[in-house]
Amino acid sequence: MGADSGIVKTVEVPPLKPLNVKVKLAGTPTRLPKYSVKVKNSGGEEVILADPRATRALVALMNMHAVNGGAACHWGGPAAFAEINAAIHGIMFSTKDRQWYEAFNFVNDAGHTENGIYALRTNYGFDNLTFDDLKGFRSLSSKLTGHGESHLNPEGVLISNGPLGSGLPQAQGLAIADKIAVRDRVTICTVSDGAAMEGEAKESFAAIPGLAAKGLVNPFVMVISDNDTKLSGRISKDAFSMQPTFESLSVLGWNVIKVQNGHDLQEVYLAIEKAINDAKANPNKPVCVWVKTIKGYGVKMTMEDKAGGHGFPLNNAEKIVDFVAEIYNGNPPEEFANWAKSLRAEWEKKEQEKKTKPSVPPAVKKDKVQAGLSKGVIRAAQEGYPVFSISSDVQGSTGISGFHKAVPGRFIEVGVAEANMVSTGSGFSKMGFIPIVDTFGQFGITKGNLPLIMAALSQNPLIAIFSHIGLQDAADGASHQATTYFAATCAIPHTVIIAPSCADEAEALMYEAIKRQAQDRLAGKDGESYIFFIGRENYPVHWIENATYQWGRAQVIKEGTDVVLVGCGVLVGKIIEAGKILAQQGVNATVINNPFVNKVDVETIGKHVKAANGRVVTIEDHQLIGGMAAMLSHSLSQADIPHRMKSLGINGEFGQSAYVAEHLYQYHKLTTESVIKSALDLLK
């Protein structure tokens, strides 16, 4: 490659003018917040803001409704940001003579803090939201999703958020575009210290002031909440201190304003007011408001928790009354107190009903598939294989924390930085270790995709655990739902994609993957990377008693000759149940678990497809394009095996929040009933 030295004649073009795209954001609220407090601006005038305590109480109450529905929720981040967002919104919503969004771009790059933004804006009646609307938070019927999603809530969300670090560079683009379009607008972006660990964020830390110094950026304000806390614990203890990064911002060209007490609303307001005024006065120097906060602020147990109460700390409504009361030092507004009491009364009623229900036989033993993967790694370590875990904050969710506890000293956390994690694993591989990297599927296949390719290209095979795939991360919504994970990884050379369906299978295949990788490397071969895609919910630990799991082989759970049902990963249970019901209707189906998605066992599956006269039904928690069914059909065609296939999957749509994954499966028709109908259609 070289510089382009060719000569091109310039041409005349019309002046650059952006398209007149209709703004979908809701307008400036017409009333002051229902629950408010007063501060003074820099001129000594009183300013009315939304009460941060109301934000915290509303987050707790809306979270409790979601928890009752079966969803996980988050309290710590919104609690830390309550004063910051009260000040920002008070200033934005005080815009005169034009809509607030004509004066400001607002982007949240602090993930779950969006919950607090919903609560705060509802206090204003923004977008005609009511407190009753908060009760549907994270449900399939609500646009108030786990993270802000503009495709579902364009009235309230300018830029979809969720994957930490992705909002800041988008905000950078907004501010540069505004500059080119000659718009009088300030861009404000809120960032968590966890988000600041991402490579994308650090790129913008340098790019925004660098480009602004050249006169290319409109006024820009970045507000960082610094509480040394991420999902799994304290950043400085688990990974490394972010203080040098924040200290370097002034060297990079930011005008840094420090706020020592992020829960002193007066101090926070004056700092943000000054930041906006400074940015307007000198757009060539963006402003960073560096705010010291406490994650989970407002409730003692979450303030003292090592993760700041990242998740909602109440798994039922037993203590919700006290929780809300503590936010207000014992005197919450009657409306909130009664709301909490009704939640507790509902819980008490259900508890009483449980006591009067007749006893039921023991349920089938279930566990997360993650548990099996961790057991497989532990077993390999006990046998002397040099496995080493490199994590990026969600090791408790991916299950590898079981290995961390069982074998201390065999892991490192690089912080909230998925790309860095995979690349670090690649380096470990080159040095003779067997690295295990882990994160949510969505972040593994997006932020980790190029590093995965480079690891394979560099002959540095690794093993990845990517969890919460497909629609399994129901409550967090589309930003966290990896629905293209097969399509994103199956074509990477020297990479095997595995979707285990139960804990026993996961344990066996993980152990075998480690063993095979070690044998290949010792034999002088490059070896292959192995990526395990798993869900988040509990499943039977096995589908067949005393089952064996052969490497590279599909598992035939039931044999038949009428139709072949094929599934993988989290939806295998659907085809097993469908096979049983079809048998009751006189249809004899073969049921196959197909874990080796991009290394199709044509020998096993093809034999049964031939016996069923080519009739095949597939189901997967993935987009239909580029999914398991597409690879299976292609492999059968390459082997000259005629077939007619009905494929069930996600049909070109993003996901959304729901209390549990089953609600989304029903919505997308990824059900046992759909499998049965597809099979019967093929038999007509």
Side-chain angles (χ1 to χ4, degrees):
M1 293 184 290
D4 182 359
S5 58
I7 299 174
V8 177
K9 184 180 179 180
T10 59
V11 298
E12 294 291 329
V13 297
L16 181 62
K17 184 179 180 181
L19 300 173
N20 186 19
V21 179
K22 182 181 178 182
V23 176
K24 297 181 180 179
L25 289 166
T28 307
T30 57
R31 65 167 174 82
L32 293 172
K34 183 175 182 179
Y35 296 99
S36 63
V37 291
K38 294 179 180 179
V39 297
K40 289 187 177 181
N41 63 20
S42 57
E45 302 168 316
E46 281 193 342
V47 177
I48 296 175
L49 303 178
D51 188 343
R53 296 175 300 174
T55 297
R56 293 187 177 97
L58 288 167
V59 168
L61 292 164
M62 63 196 269
N63 277 3
M64 196 72 261
H65 283 278
V67 167
N68 286 344
C73 286
H74 299 84
W75 153 262
F81 263 98
E83 283 78 13
I84 291 170
N85 277 318
I88 290 173
H89 281 77
I91 293 171
M92 292 194 304
F93 289 167
S94 66
T95 300
K96 306 296 184 185
D97 303 323
R98 55 177 173 157
Q99 293 292 347
W100 71 276
Y101 53 73
E102 293 173 342
F104 295 96
N105 292 314
F106 175 74
V107 175
N108 170 41
D109 198 357
H112 295 296
T113 298
E114 200 74 18
N115 307 357
I117 294 169
Y118 299 149
L120 181 152
R121 291 182 174 180
T122 302
N123 192 9
Y124 275 96
F126 176 87
D127 190 25
N128 296 315
L129 290 171
T130 68
F131 291 163
D132 278 345
D133 291 321
L134 296 178
K135 296 176 182 179
F137 170 58
R138 287 197 161 197
S139 71
L140 187 62
S141 61
S142 175
K143 67 179 182 180
L144 304 181
T145 53
H147 292 272
E149 294 172 11
S150 58
H151 72 298
L152 296 175
N153 186 11
E155 299 84 3
V157 180
L158 178 61
I159 296 291
S160 292
N161 64 64
L164 296 180
S166 67
L168 182 60
Q170 291 186 77
Q172 172 186 320
L174 293 173
I176 296 171
D178 271 345
K179 183 71 174 184
I180 293 172
V182 195
R183 294 187 179 120
D184 175 24
R185 185 153 51 196
V186 178
T187 295
I188 302 176
C189 184
T190 53
V191 180
S192 66
D193 44 4
M197 304 185 84
E198 292 280 11
E200 299 148 282
K202 289 178 178 176
E203 290 169 11
S204 286
F205 284 174
I208 292 170
L211 294 171
K214 298 174 73 174
L216 299 175
V217 184
N218 250 29
F220 197 103
V221 175
M222 175 173 68
V223 185
I224 296 175
S225 171
D226 173 19
N227 45 55
D228 191 32
T229 314
K230 52 185 178 55
L231 185 152
S232 61
R234 302 300 176 188
I235 292 174
S236 56
K237 180 178 183 297
D238 295 346
F240 51 85
S241 173
M242 288 297 292
Q243 300 311 297
T245 295
F246 298 147
E247 293 286 358
S248 73
L249 291 173
S250 59
V251 178
L252 289 172
W254 292 86
N255 170 13
V256 178
I257 299 173
K258 292 185 179 180
V259 178
Q260 290 301 320
N261 182 359
H263 305 296
D264 181 332
L265 184 57
Q266 178 66 69
E267 183 182 358
V268 171
Y269 181 87
L270 290 174
I272 291 174
E273 181 189 41
K274 176 175 170 50
I276 292 170
N277 290 335
D278 286 357
K280 286 181 177 180
N282 183 10
N284 291 1
K285 196 172 185 67
V287 183
C288 169
V289 186
W290 177 6
V291 187
K292 291 286 187 177
T293 60
I294 299 172
K295 196 168 182 179
Y297 185 83
V299 174
K300 183 179 179 181
M301 73 169 177
T302 56
M303 292 168 66
E304 295 177 348
D305 178 65
K306 71 173 185 177
H310 179 89
F312 190 50
L314 304 181
N315 57 17
N316 60 52
E318 181 181 10
K319 298 180 180 179
I320 188 63
V321 174
D322 294 335
F323 197 92
V324 171
E326 186 175 349
I327 293 168
Y328 278 91
N329 294 318
N331 295 295
E334 184 178 3
E335 181 178 18
F336 295 165
N338 289 340
W339 188 347
K341 288 175 183 176
S342 69
L343 284 165
R344 179 180 168 83
E346 182 181 341
W347 171 78
E348 290 174 340
K349 180 181 177 182
K350 289 180 179 178
E351 288 298 301
Q352 188 60 38
E353 289 173 352
K354 287 180 184 177
K355 294 177 182 178
T356 59
K357 282 184 178 179
S359 59
V360 295
V364 174
K365 183 181 178 182
K366 292 186 176 183
D367 203 349
K368 293 186 183 298
V369 179
Q370 284 90 321
L373 293 175
S374 185
K375 288 179 181 178
V377 180
I378 294 169
R379 176 182 168 193
Q382 288 176 309
E383 295 186 12
Y385 291 101
V387 289
F388 197 95
S389 166
I390 301 103
S391 291
S392 59
D393 189 35
V394 293
Q395 50 267 34
S397 298
T398 63
I400 196 64
S401 59
F403 168 71
H404 295 179
K405 294 174 183 177
V407 189
R410 290 283 192 93
F411 70 94
I412 189 171
E413 189 190 306
V414 299
V416 186
E418 296 82 6
N420 184 271
M421 172 191 67
V422 177
S423 293
T424 300
S426 176
F428 265 74
S429 178
K430 183 64 76 175
M431 293 294 104
F433 294 97
I434 298 176
I436 315 286
V437 299
D438 67 288
T439 185
F440 286 5
Q442 180 73 316
F443 309 142
I445 67 165
T446 51
K447 302 189 178 194
N449 195 272
L450 179 58
L452 286 169
I453 293 171
M454 295 309 297
L457 184 60
S458 303
Q459 303 84 51
N460 299 338
L462 44 76
I463 295 174
I465 299 173
F466 292 159
S467 70
H468 293 53
I469 51 83
L471 302 173
Q472 283 275 295
D473 195 3
D476 280 335
S479 66
H480 280 48
Q481 291 163 357
T483 64
T484 61
Y485 51 102
F486 292 149
T489 55
C490 280
I492 300 175
H494 314 302
T495 303
V496 180
I497 306 304
I498 306 166
S501 62
C502 63
D504 284 358
E505 180 182 26
E507 178 181 354
L509 297 182
M510 172 58 82
Y511 171 78
E512 186 64 23
I514 294 169
K515 181 179 175 182
R516 291 173 70 87
Q517 195 172 95
Q519 290 173 341
D520 283 345
R521 301 302 298 282
L522 289 173
K525 299 178 182 178
D526 292 344
E528 294 181 308
S529 288
Y530 303 110
I531 303 178
F532 289 84
F533 286 114
I534 56 175
R536 72 179 295 272
E537 298 182 351
N538 291 336
Y539 292 89
V541 295
H542 53 250
W543 302 106
I544 303 173
E545 289 285 348
N546 302 314
T548 57
Y549 304 96
Q550 292 182 271
W551 186 264
R553 290 291 187 178
Q555 181 189 36
V556 180
I557 295 173
K558 176 182 174 297
E559 293 195 46
T561 56
D562 292 329
V563 64
V564 178
L565 312 180
V566 183
C568 65
V570 298
L571 293 182
V572 165
K574 305 287 188 187
I575 60 167
I576 293 174
E577 185 64 22
K580 293 176 181 177
I581 295 172
L582 284 168
Q584 295 170 3
Q585 299 177 14
V587 177
N588 196 10
T590 293
V591 177
I592 296 178
N593 169 26
N594 177 32
F596 291 91
V597 177
N598 68 338
K599 304 291 181 181
V600 179
D601 179 9
V602 176
E603 180 182 348
T604 299
I605 299 175
K607 177 180 69 173
H608 290 282
V609 171
K610 290 177 182 177
N613 292 315
R615 292 184 286 266
V616 184
V617 178
T618 67
I619 188 169
E620 57 190 305
D621 193 358
H622 187 279
Q623 297 288 343
L624 286 172
I625 296 174
M628 178 269 289
M631 279 173 274
L632 173 58
S633 181
H634 181 260
S635 296
L636 292 173
S637 296
Q638 289 288 91
D640 295 323
I641 299 175
H643 58 283
R644 291 183 296 133
M645 185 176 287
K646 294 275 189 179
S647 296
L648 302 173
I650 303 165
N651 196 14
E653 299 292 336
F654 286 109
Q656 64 189 88
S657 284
Y659 289 152
V660 293
E662 186 59 34
H663 294 172
L664 290 168
Y665 293 149
Q666 292 286 338
Y667 181 78
H668 289 279
K669 296 182 170 55
L670 301 179
T671 63
T672 298
E673 293 76 17
S674 296
V675 174
I676 294 168
K677 182 181 183 302
S678 296
L680 295 175
D681 285 347
L682 285 173
L683 288 164
K684 288 179 181 177

